[in-house]
Amino acid sequence: MAEPTTSQFVTVTVNGEQVEREVPARRLLVHFIRDDLDLTGTHVGCDTGSCGACSVLLDGVLVKSCAVLAVQADGASVTTVESLAGDELSALQRSFAEHHALQCGYCTPGMLMSATALLAENPSPSEDEVKAGLQGNICRCTGYWNIVEAVVAAGKGPA
Amino acid sequence: MLLREVSYARPGSVEEAVALLSAHDGARALAGGQTLVNVMKQRAASPDVLVDLADLDELRTIAVSGTTLELGAMATLTSIIRSSEVEVSRPILGEIAATVADVQVRNRGTIGGNICVNDPTNHFPPLLVALGATMTIRGAGGERTVPAEEFFVGVFETAVGEGDLLTRIDVPAGRGDGMAGVTLGVHGTYVANAAASVADGAWRIALGCVAAVPVRATAVEERLAGGEPDEASVRAAVEGLGATLDPPSDVHASADYRRSLAETSVVRAVLQAAERARG
Amino acid sequence: MSTTETTGTPTLQKGFVGQSIPRKEDKRLVEGQGVFFDDVKRHGMGYLHFVRSPYAHARIGAVDVSAALALPGVYGTLTGDEVAILTDPFFQIAADPGGQVKDYALAVGKVRYLGEPVAAVVAESRELARDAAELVEVDYEPLDVVVDARAALEDGAPVLHEECGGNLSYTGVWEWGDVDAAFAEADHVVAISELHFDRFNSTPLELDGALVEFNRGTGQWTLTTNNQFPGFAVIMMAPAMRIGTDKLRFVTQDIGGGFGNKITSHPQLVACCLLARKLNRPIQWTEWRTDFHQSMSHGNERWFLDTEVAVKADGTMTAFRTKAVDDAGAYLRYEPLGGVIWSQVAPGMYGWRNIRLEFTQAMTNKAPVSPNRGYSRMQQLWFTERIVDIVAHELGFDRVELRKRNYVQPEQMPYETPNGCVYDSGDYPRSLDTALELIGYDTIEARREEAASRGKLLGIGIGSTLDSGTNNFGQSQLLNPDLQFSGNNEVATAKLDIFGEIVITLGTTPQGQGHETTAAQVVADILGCDVDIVHVRAGHDSYWNSHAGFSGTYASQFAVTGLGAVKGATEELARQMKTLASMVFQCPVEAIELADGFARIADNHEAALPFMALGAIPNANNAGFPTDPPPMNARFVYRPQFEVPDKERKFGNLTLTYAMQIHACVVEVDPETGVYEIVDYAAVDDCGVRINPQIVVGQVMGATAHAIGAAMFESFAYDEEGNLLTPNFYDYHVPHTLDMPPLKTASVESPSPFTPLGTKGMGEGGGGGIHCVCAALQDALRAAGGGIVTDSHNPYHRVWELLRHPDRSRGKIEVRSS
Amino acid sequence: MKLEGTKEFEAPREVVWSVINDPSKMAKTMPGVESFEIADDTHWSAKVKVPLGLGGLKMSIAFTKVEERPLEFASLNAKGQGVGALMNMTTSFTLSDEGETTSMAWEADVKIAGPVGSMGQRVLQPIINQQVGNVLQALDAEVQAAKGAGG
């Protein structure tokens, strides 16, 4: 029987690279990503799992990394905002810039991850589908209108 | 954000999970974690040991057996939304699952977690009471089943005791269901709700957010029994329900407002259920 | 998502100014490569966690940190007793009685609100610091609590600050014109016994925090922090810490939203500084959401009592009088400035010439207030709008006609208000028409009937508001004549670097307003170059020497002060570049023009020097010049022209510009539950010349979202014991995507005659949306008992009460006609 | 948070009075009591684990009898301290009888601070309402036991 322990050795594939670390069982995945792995694009905006600024893909599934323990990611893959751009910005990232879908940019990484997950399942979502897909991400600057437009436009592809 | 120290184990089988839960004082099953981890972040509760059920694929099964829909306790809300079994045998479960919080929460959050937490504002406790669900619990002493109305014991408390594990929720097939209520914003936290279900003229109605556990509106159920409800008859049957309740008063609703919302929610849920029962 | 933008007055543009170019900031932010304070790490840094009071009011006995210190991995602690020895109380803006408040980095002797920091613990990990904070034992002796500003001013109320002799921080009578005469001549007097503007804030997504380092050798601290007004923070912190202002270096790159809420973090920053020195290691403090809600930067809650409005038979409103009671919370961190800031917009957008407002501010056992988007003006604007609608409702005037009759008219601009403020430009009636057109006002009665057929109550509402921008800090002297602040300023530097790059530094601390982009647009047009070769340094660093006493980003002023400084510095750089070119070409400086990235002789384009050559000469290739080549480096301080206001009459120009927003919306109410939905929304903005229209519209959208949140969902509600009932996003619901209505926007451009670029500061929105939701609800309720909306915050349960008991709100109104 | 109510007991007033004035009997009515100590007539203390399902909230509670008028009125104060959590409750009971039935009008003013508070009222209020219901039910059982034991 697996004995419960307060600290565990985890192996996680982060943005395609395997990392191995000893982590306390109580450490949240978001702190593991930000503080232990120095991937600071993933943000924290609340303490109740409400705001979605910490959204990442865990084995391809959109999750809030503040509501997952780092030890729960053992053996899994994690995809963060830092992986979205290659040599150039992705179409979605460009669309955010073109539609002024960000102001302070703090919610943006989480928004981009939610939109990425949505577009992976539904490559050209309607406005209502985008709104439903981004419901778990709070933005306090934009009122969401431009964000929704940016995602709808990214789904439509180049005009 | 910062949890108290906790031990963690991820068992590979239900038996191992039950053994771990039994062997450690203060052990708690970790399902999707969408409530539990957040409660731990507030340090409002601090289990000593978390037994992560993530690897127990057998608890994720959604299947139909005869006229019963069997939901594994670890079925995520997203999987319930997408399940053709759910859509065919008890569609309201998928519809309501789709209104819980947001994509991220639904991707991780499980039906078992939603009811084991029994936050009084959660969607599934009143719904499963109205649907006449049965919960299967595995403990050190074996397996037992508990009807939904006996399952919910208090806030954050259910018939799942120390050392126990909820494994499955059985819901009879049916379509005559409705759920209505008021939330804080679209898909937000419930302020008040009611779920109603009718089969062969017999009603089951449960109210959420008015007490620590879902409350059956038995008097209304009896008044509606056998009839073919229309708006006037439902309103007549519901009249006076609020006065029998002792709901909490808080920043979102006074007790009086909750009483009124409870009545309105029942009317709307019953009418929806009746319409769907007619097909 | 159903957004439409219409521009009323198209402006012909030849350069970058006026174009919606994509923002320079965005690349790093969409890549997750922004640098926010919490992204910065240092070797050996310790994580700070505050021990916070569970009581709203209590005397502090012994504070025992021994168990915390005994925990392995704990680096040290700080208590209120230490703070009281190591620092002086923060300077108070208030005259007496508020001036007697003793405010420190940690609670000293008493706690006065729930969540107040009592001690701080530093440990090697975030989790451990919180563990240790739980081990600090504090003896509290609970005291009686007062959470209602009106009750706080009554005899026998529990007193927060004994030194003040009561809970009054400031009171003053503000009266202009001949109010009594106007009431004597009125045909109608509408009396409103009580109006209430609720407590909320903009809840930026990033919370406060800092990484603070102490240099033992120089005695200097470096604060990597998201404080949005370093000029103010340093004035508060340096005297308290008994040091010169140069000992505090503020550094910031990206800030995750501020909205005024990040102005008053100076107490926590002092605690970080003291611990960085005491423990000789970098201190990292990250505030969490519940901490922020319980302790930081609430907006001003305000009551308007015994209001009376004088109205002529034709609907002309000649006077109002009211008693405003403002709730400052437990400490005066920026207050009582709210006690004068409202008077920038004393008559709102209307031609009232006779005004009497008795302003009284009380301290209560709630979190201290601080500026919040639309600071103190939004309350006044909501008040003026509310009384206009109530007058229309009670006297049977059409709300649109009443507004148009009473608006300050375009031909009156620039318009001097009864208290000496000058509205610089604007066309309010036309802007209102634009908003009504967007909302489909002419079809509203048909829509009302259609909604009624579905069992819904439909209503339409208007909120017309001002963004007064570029403060004259001399207004502080109207509250406290001893203060030595007046005017305003902002600084920018512009230099041409060796390889021809143009480098701009700002004194501002942007939080999403796109300063790097708009500054570059202004610079590129002046220097005749591409916007891409203009490098605007991201963020703020007080080592750059590009800041002044009022530097920061707050109160709608960047487009005037920030860009005014950029324009000044760039024009000086242009002069230097032309001078250097004229030295090289040995021609008069007037013959040189800057165009296409060259300095060239205007009528001989062959004689052209690329910027690279100009940059290299003074920096790296300066031999052989008979006189010194200009340094290609300019610093400019922009200073708007202000006089110190007349303290006796409380008269003078308090802000330079008045941008305007008019919002209109349509709601549908479920009469059974009080649940309502905004089904249509329009916002019209006039901020003069728009440097980057897309950014302006973005600000209008943000202001709209905040207003909708405040109107429908967001409230900092307390119980009688001073417990905050909405301490995080569980109960403080902010709008999510699915909560947002379709939005239409439009712009009108009335250039400001008073600013360097014809721009006006904008973005706060004056809470226009809060009022339009209130007004739409009241319109909807007309068909269901005619309840009067007297609160700015109308959650479903309040609407249900208005539907159930319309008489309760109607009882607050009385009409007397002669 | 202020709560109040009336509870009827099928027992004489003396019996009800004897129960609510006997700390050891009252202790049996409280949820999650792990240990109990009586210091003197007016002071006693308990260690409790308030059942909250997700782990329980451990608290040490000190009770002080504030006032009593035998057979008629009693009020007491309970101050609880747990890790990061505080509870302060003042409660009073007024007894009256109608024949064989004793009526107890009770009031309680409960203040809770700390992390449970930050979970919000939606959780807190139902918990308190339910616990009060449990206490009253247990109290009835104690009263009946005392009545059966001859007072």
Side-chain angles (χ1 to χ4, degrees), chain C residues 440-733:
Chain C
Y441 186 65
D442 50 353
T443 63
I444 209 71
E445 292 312 317
R447 289 179 67 182
R448 206 190 294 278
E449 280 176 31
E450 188 279 326
S453 74
R454 290 182 280 114
K456 293 285 172 66
L457 301 166
L458 183 140
I460 182 168
I462 299 161
S464 23
T465 55
L466 295 168
D467 271 339
S468 49
T470 306
N471 277 321
N472 173 1
F473 279 84
Q475 64 199 280
S476 61
Q477 299 184 33
L478 302 183
L479 295 169
N480 182 353
D482 295 336
L483 292 180
Q484 299 297 314
F485 302 111
S486 70
N488 198 330
N489 55 22
E490 188 51 274
V491 183
T493 68
K495 69 170 176 176
L496 185 64
D497 233 324
I498 296 182
F499 296 131
E501 318 94 313
I502 293 142
V503 180
I504 305 294
T505 66
L506 306 171
T508 57
T509 49
Q511 314 118 35
Q513 297 91 339
H515 291 184
E516 293 165 46
T517 307
T518 50
Q521 288 177 268
V522 169
V523 172
D525 279 3
I526 294 169
L527 298 183
C529 64
D530 195 88
V531 76
D532 288 343
I533 70 158
V534 182
H535 302 269
V536 182
R537 283 200 189 143
H540 175 103
D541 187 331
S542 36
Y543 268 23
W544 292 344
N545 199 27
S546 58
H547 68 287
F550 298 120
S551 282
T553 296
Y554 57 92
S556 290
Q557 62 179 29
F558 178 73
V560 175
T561 59
L563 292 183
V566 167
K567 178 170 181 275
T570 309
E571 283 172 346
E572 166 59 17
L573 178 63
R575 194 192 59 75
Q576 293 181 17
M577 290 163 74
K578 287 179 185 171
T579 303
L580 181 57
S582 72
M583 290 164 84
V584 171
F585 294 127
Q586 299 191 339
C587 69
V589 68
E590 296 75 24
I592 303 291
E593 69 172 13
L594 301 175
D596 303 331
F598 291 89
R600 64 192 184 195
I601 295 176
D603 45 16
N604 174 13
H605 290 186
E606 298 296 305
L609 282 170
F611 284 7
M612 185 172 171
L614 288 171
I617 289 169
N619 283 305
N621 190 14
N622 53 32
F625 277 83
T627 57
D628 286 344
M632 300 299 122
N633 198 335
R635 178 177 189 270
F636 187 84
V637 181
Y638 169 75
R639 182 180 76 97
Q641 296 298 309
F642 281 125
E643 300 294 325
V644 174
D646 180 334
K647 292 172 224 176
E648 288 304 307
R649 295 164 59 211
K650 297 192 171 77
F651 187 94
N653 194 14
L654 307 184
T655 53
L656 194 66
T657 63
Y658 286 84
M660 175 232 73
Q661 285 188 23
I662 294 184
H663 293 230
C665 74
V666 180
V667 302
E668 286 188 8
V669 181
D670 173 355
E672 212 172 336
T673 60
V675 172
Y676 63 99
E677 188 185 354
I678 301 172
V679 295
D680 245 322
Y681 200 108
V684 176
D685 175 75
D686 181 356
C687 62
V689 172
R690 300 186 301 168
I691 304 294
N692 185 319
Q694 185 170 254
I695 288 177
V696 167
V697 175
Q699 290 294 315
V700 173
M701 289 173 164
T704 301
H706 280 170
I708 290 171
M712 296 183 70
F713 304 116
E714 300 179 40
S715 169
F716 288 126
Y718 283 84
D719 69 10
E720 287 173 5
E721 275 83 49
N723 295 304
L724 178 60
L725 302 177
T726 49
N728 49 47
F729 287 148
Y730 279 140
D731 287 296
Y732 191 97
H733 177 81

Side-chain angles (χ1 to χ4, degrees), chain A residues 26 35 47 103 135 144 149, chain C residues 3 23 126 131 290 735-736:
Chain A
R26 61 164 153 174
D35 294 346
D47 53 5
Q103 290 181 26
Q135 170 72 357
Y144 306 104
E149 275 195 10
Chain C
T3 54
R23 300 196 318 167
R126 298 181 195 269
D131 293 348
T290 304
H736 293 234

Side-chain angles (χ1 to χ4, degrees), chain A residues 19-75:
Chain A
V19 298
E20 297 175 346
R21 289 282 196 292
E22 180 82 18
V23 289
R26 61 164 153 174
R27 182 148 301 161
L28 298 170
L29 179 58
V30 67
H31 285 141
F32 178 70
I33 293 169
R34 286 182 52 78
D35 294 346
D36 296 352
L37 304 183
D38 287 333
L39 290 168
T40 54
T42 303
H43 294 154
V44 176
C46 75
D47 53 5
T48 51
S50 313
C51 81
C54 63
S55 298
V56 299
L57 303 183
L58 183 63
D59 280 338
V61 175
L62 183 71
V63 304
K64 292 173 182 167
S65 63
C66 76
V68 178
L69 304 176
V71 289
Q72 290 183 279
D74 184 26

